[in-house]
Amino acid sequence: MKNITFITTGQPSTNPRLVKEAETLIKLGYQVKVICCFYQEWAREFDLEIVNRNKDVYIYCGGDPVNEKLSYYKTRLRQKISWRLFNFTKAFDVPENAISRTHAEALTIAKSIKTDLYIAHNLGALPAAVLAAKFNHAKVGYDAEDMHSGQFKTKDEKGYLLNKFIEEKYFPQTDYFTAASPLIAQNYKEVYSYLDPVLINNVFPKIELPIRSGTDTTQPLKLFWFSQTIGTERGIENIIRAMALVAKPTELHLLGNCSDEDKLMIIKLAEYNRLTADQIHFHRPIAPDELFKFAARFDIGMATETAPNLNRDICLTNKIFTYIQAGLAMIASDTQAQRLFLEQYPATGSLYQKDDINSLANCILGYAENPESLTQTKQMNYHLGQTELNWENESKIFQRIIESQDISVKNQDNKSEF
């Protein structure tokens, strides 16, 4: 097996997990293509560096709102119509076009690429991968970074019904299945007993960073939170309320794309809780490769998931591993996934009750009052990222999965129809 094609409904810089897998295979000598599409305007400039590292690998489809407006708005209209039609019919690729703006375009490109294995990197990309594999007698892999049918509060929601339909239709047609957290793997296995999910942690390549010998007690304690989007229901409000209870100088640094409305909400909340203007700092998105050096400037990484649905309760976000790789201490809410992680690696940080502001404040205060413990935790986490929790180790699992699919391509002609 030498030719592998990835499919995603996002951009390279919004899916670092895909980029890690693709670049790993390129280094191993595979011929790799990545079919992707416009997703976020802020990510456009950061895509350039990723694409330029491996020219002719990334293939965009479905247009964008700046350079290819006609294609972009046509695909958006098709998705909206398909979303409405999903209530009435499951035929004519209605569900497939409802879950992905670029399903038809990605499928056309994927069919044109003679490949041995298609890897779908989210649920919206899976139908195109399966149908292209059927067309070219190839294999299909799927990576579950989220449990998509678990992203909803009730099973009556239309989004749940659409995601569940795609899962039930296309999961049986995959040849391998990976998951980004132990509990995503476990929950998918419980729902679909025929699956055999393999865990691949969302870790990152090792990076050499200067480690501070001690914590500067003359400076405020610097808390750090990041995501692609800064918004509600992510625990930021709880951090601000907890900071108001901590009788020590603290700062909160937020990195990500933030709307004017959400930024104003955060500022007003900080003012209401009597925090000063210099305690809340907003930072614009940066290139994925620059994140670790940027994060290393701070003291504590905040993993403050509020678990508004099952998926958020069981996912293990890349925040956890970014903080460890950058050598930060960590404060994490007690979601199922984060509690399990802290049980396995108790020295990496502190766990608080996600609905208890006092519990969070006590965790912050615990580090503020014990700078030696903070320094030791930061140094231990950086060492853990250098020795155990890194992509150099985890990529070996991914490599073994790919090699296990390397059955003679001739045998694919005898594979039963999907």
Side-chain angles (χ1 to χ4, degrees):
M1 180 182 296
K2 285 296 181 184
N3 299 293
I4 297 178
T5 299
F6 291 83
I7 306 177
T8 180
T9 56
Q11 293 163 250
S13 56
T14 66
N15 197 336
R17 187 173 170 91
L18 178 151
V19 174
K20 286 182 294 189
E21 291 188 359
E23 293 188 348
T24 294
L25 295 180
I26 291 170
K27 290 178 182 177
L28 291 172
Y30 290 87
Q31 298 297 313
V32 174
K33 296 292 184 183
V34 177
I35 302 171
C36 55
C37 66
F38 175 86
Y39 177 56
Q40 296 279 355
E41 180 60 37
W42 65 262
R44 189 193 298 270
E45 63 175 295
F46 303 130
D47 283 352
L48 293 176
E49 181 180 346
I50 297 172
V51 172
N52 288 337
R53 285 203 299 260
N54 294 286
K55 295 185 182 298
D56 302 322
V57 168
Y58 294 88
I59 305 170
Y60 286 78
C61 65
D64 66 73
V66 176
N67 300 314
E68 298 180 71
K69 294 182 180 180
L70 182 60
S71 295
Y72 176 70
Y73 288 108
K74 181 189 75 172
T75 56
R76 286 192 64 184
L77 178 61
R78 182 181 61 214
Q79 185 176 28
K80 288 182 179 180
I81 293 173
S82 298
W83 172 258
R84 292 180 180 273
L85 289 176
F86 179 72
N87 287 334
F88 308 102
T89 181
K90 309 298 183 287
F92 310 111
D93 288 340
V94 165
E96 290 79 2
N97 285 302
I99 201 168
S100 170
R101 177 179 68 85
T102 57
H103 165 72
E105 289 74 15
L107 177 57
T108 298
I109 295 171
K111 282 183 175 180
S112 71
I113 302 172
K114 295 296 291 184
T115 196
D116 303 310
L117 172 67
Y118 294 92
I119 303 176
H121 253 265
N122 47 47
L123 194 61
L126 183 58
V130 169
L131 295 172
K134 176 182 178 180
F135 182 82
N136 283 322
H137 303 288
K139 287 194 165 190
V140 181
Y142 178 70
D143 182 62
E145 197 163 347
D146 293 285
M147 185 176 186
H148 289 278
S149 57
Q151 292 177 318
F152 306 91
K153 294 181 180 179
T154 71
K155 294 184 178 181
D156 296 326
E157 295 179 61
K158 188 173 178 179
Y160 168 81
L161 297 174
L162 174 60
N163 280 262
K164 189 68 173 176
F165 177 85
I166 296 295
E167 287 180 357
E168 291 179 342
K169 181 176 180 180
Y170 289 101
F171 278 178
Q173 305 177 60
T174 58
D175 293 286
Y176 82 77
F177 193 106
T178 55
S181 88
L183 293 182
I184 289 177
Q186 177 182 314
N187 277 263
Y188 264 140
K189 179 66 175 178
E190 290 174 356
V191 177
Y192 305 106
S193 59
Y194 54 82
L195 293 177
D196 188 21
V198 177
L199 171 65
I200 297 181
N201 283 310
N202 211 6
V203 293
F204 298 92
K206 292 185 287 187
I207 181 171
E208 290 189 11
L209 296 172
I211 301 300
R212 289 170 285 183
S213 58
T215 299
D216 187 351
T217 56
T218 66
Q219 295 293 318
L221 188 69
K222 293 179 172 59
L223 313 179
F224 177 56
W225 183 100
F226 79 95
S227 186
Q228 292 182 8
T229 302
I230 301 171
T232 59
E233 291 193 324
R234 304 299 301 277
I236 297 172
E237 303 93 329
N238 291 341
I239 301 174
I240 292 172
R241 295 186 182 104
M243 288 171 65
L245 300 178
V246 176
K248 293 282 186 179
T250 56
E251 294 178 358
L252 174 60
H253 292 258
L254 302 169
L255 171 68
N257 191 51
C258 189
S259 68
D260 292 339
E261 181 181 358
D262 284 331
K263 186 174 183 178
L264 181 61
M265 180 274 294
I266 292 170
I267 292 172
K268 291 294 184 183
L269 181 63
E271 291 174 349
Y272 178 80
N273 284 274
R274 299 183 179 180
L275 300 184
T276 60
D278 61 354
Q279 286 185 270
I280 307 295
H281 301 263
F282 294 89
H283 303 275
R284 295 180 61 81
I286 59 178
D289 290 345
E290 298 174 7
L291 176 58
F292 304 97
K293 290 182 180 179
F294 183 85
R297 299 160 47 186
F298 308 109
D299 297 306
I300 303 173
M302 308 298 291
T304 52
E305 295 296 337
T306 59
N309 54 54
L310 174 62
N311 179 64
R312 301 311 299 180
D313 200 19
I314 64 176
C315 72
L316 201 56
T317 67
N318 60 5
K319 287 184 180 65
I320 298 283
F321 300 107
T322 299
Y323 298 150
I324 290 172
Q325 199 76 39
L328 304 187
M330 181 170 57
I331 293 178
S333 57
D334 64 342
T335 64
Q336 289 188 58
Q338 294 183 164
R339 188 188 313 117
L340 183 63
F341 181 84
L342 265 294
E343 288 173 357
Q344 186 176 3
Y345 298 99
T348 57
S350 300
L351 198 69
Y352 73 94
Q353 299 171 32
K354 57 181 173 290
D355 298 320
D356 189 334
I357 304 302
N358 288 311
S359 176
L360 175 53
N362 287 335
C363 288
I364 298 173
L365 187 60
Y367 283 120
E369 292 183 335
N370 295 278
E372 291 183 2
S373 174
L374 173 60
T375 298
Q376 184 179 38
T377 301
K378 291 163 67 175
Q379 292 174 346
M380 289 176 59
N381 281 354
Y382 179 73
H383 179 73
L384 182 63
Q386 291 294 100
T387 57
E388 181 177 348
L389 296 178
N390 55 63
W391 182 243
E392 283 78 1
N393 290 333
E394 212 73 3
S395 64
K396 295 175 184 176
I397 300 173
F398 175 63
Q399 183 179 345
R400 287 196 294 269
I401 292 171
I402 299 302
E403 290 172 349
S404 72
Q405 305 302 311
D406 198 7
I407 302 171
S408 174
V409 177
K410 294 180 180 179
N411 292 339
Q412 295 302 307
D413 294 331
N414 300 322
K415 185 175 180 180
S416 60
E417 291 296 309
F418 296 126

